Amino acid sequence: MAQIASSSGRKSFRPARSLAPGTPAPLESASGFSTKPDPMARTQKVVAVLPAYNLEKGIAEIVRRTLPFVDHVGVTADASKDGTAAAARAAGATVPEPEMVRGKGYALIKGVEASRQFQPDIAIVTDSDCQHLPEEIPVLLKPFEEGPVDMVVGSRMLGTLRTSTINKFGNWGLKCISFA
């Protein structure tokens, strides 16, 4: 579910879909033709910030799947030892110059700072390893179209978690440890 917090302090929840690996994207028709929204119909400039580390094999796919929903994709691939940065650039993303590995938090800060050159109205931060579906971006953007909203946060835990049994067990165990 996506939690929506408005500038008035009102909070509401909307269901979000979760897909099992290999399930077709929700905005893909049965015939294989895309039914994705026209980015030109948006009135706000949207950028996606994707921190990535050693994701050469999958980053191009995630960039291509993200581009139809945003105006620009930025990938922070600091100190990746493979060709993550080159693969992201080839797929159409902007990649800031790499630095030493400082962790995901620093990669997020660097990605948001780099996105400022595009003067976005909205910045979407998402993972680069397909944990978050780019096809859900319209669900996150909808509250911005409906009225004054400061932030929209998606959660994999509020909807139906469709993942492997070992991952469910791991999530449950980590939740128990963190709240103990």
Side-chain angles (χ1 to χ4, degrees):
M1 297 184 94
Q3 179 179 351
I4 300 134
S6 74
S7 56
S8 66
R10 178 194 64 183
K11 292 183 182 176
S12 63
F13 294 91
R14 295 194 182 151
R17 294 179 299 269
S18 247
L19 297 180
T23 304
L27 298 175
E28 201 73 24
S29 70
S31 65
F33 291 101
S34 175
T35 58
K36 295 175 183 168
D38 179 8
M40 301 307 276
R42 269 197 321 273
T43 58
Q44 296 175 309
K45 187 182 277 187
V46 181
V47 298
V49 177
L50 290 79
Y53 182 70
N54 291 340
L55 294 173
E56 177 182 17
K57 292 181 182 177
I59 194 67
E61 176 193 354
I62 202 77
V63 168
R64 283 192 292 269
R65 286 175 53 197
T66 303
L67 276 169
F69 304 106
V70 300
D71 298 298
H72 188 78
V73 175
V75 174
T76 310
D78 279 353
S80 286
K81 295 177 180 17
D82 61 3
T84 299
R89 281 189 194 100
T94 297
V95 182
E97 288 303 313
E99 295 180 29
M100 68 173 93
V101 177
R102 293 186 182 174
K104 185 175 182 178
Y106 181 78
L108 288 171
I109 291 168
K110 183 176 177 179
V112 169
E113 289 292 324
S115 75
R116 288 185 178 182
Q117 67 181 305
F118 302 105
Q119 300 177 332
D121 298 302
I122 300 169
I124 295 177
V125 177
T126 186
D127 281 345
S128 303
D129 58 1
C130 296
Q131 286 189 44
H132 304 131
L133 301 173
E135 293 80 14
E136 290 288 327
I137 290 173
V139 174
L140 295 172
L141 293 176
K142 190 167 180 67
F144 290 99
E145 297 166 1
E146 294 174 347
V149 176
D150 298 319
M151 177 187 281
V152 177
V153 178
S155 171
R156 294 178 290 157
M157 304 312 283
L158 294 175
T160 302
L161 184 60
R162 295 184 184 162
T163 186
S164 69
T165 302
I166 190 72
N167 284 349
K168 286 180 185 177
F169 181 72
N171 285 339
W172 176 81
L174 289 171
K175 190 186 305 183
C176 288
I177 292 170
S178 65
F179 292 113

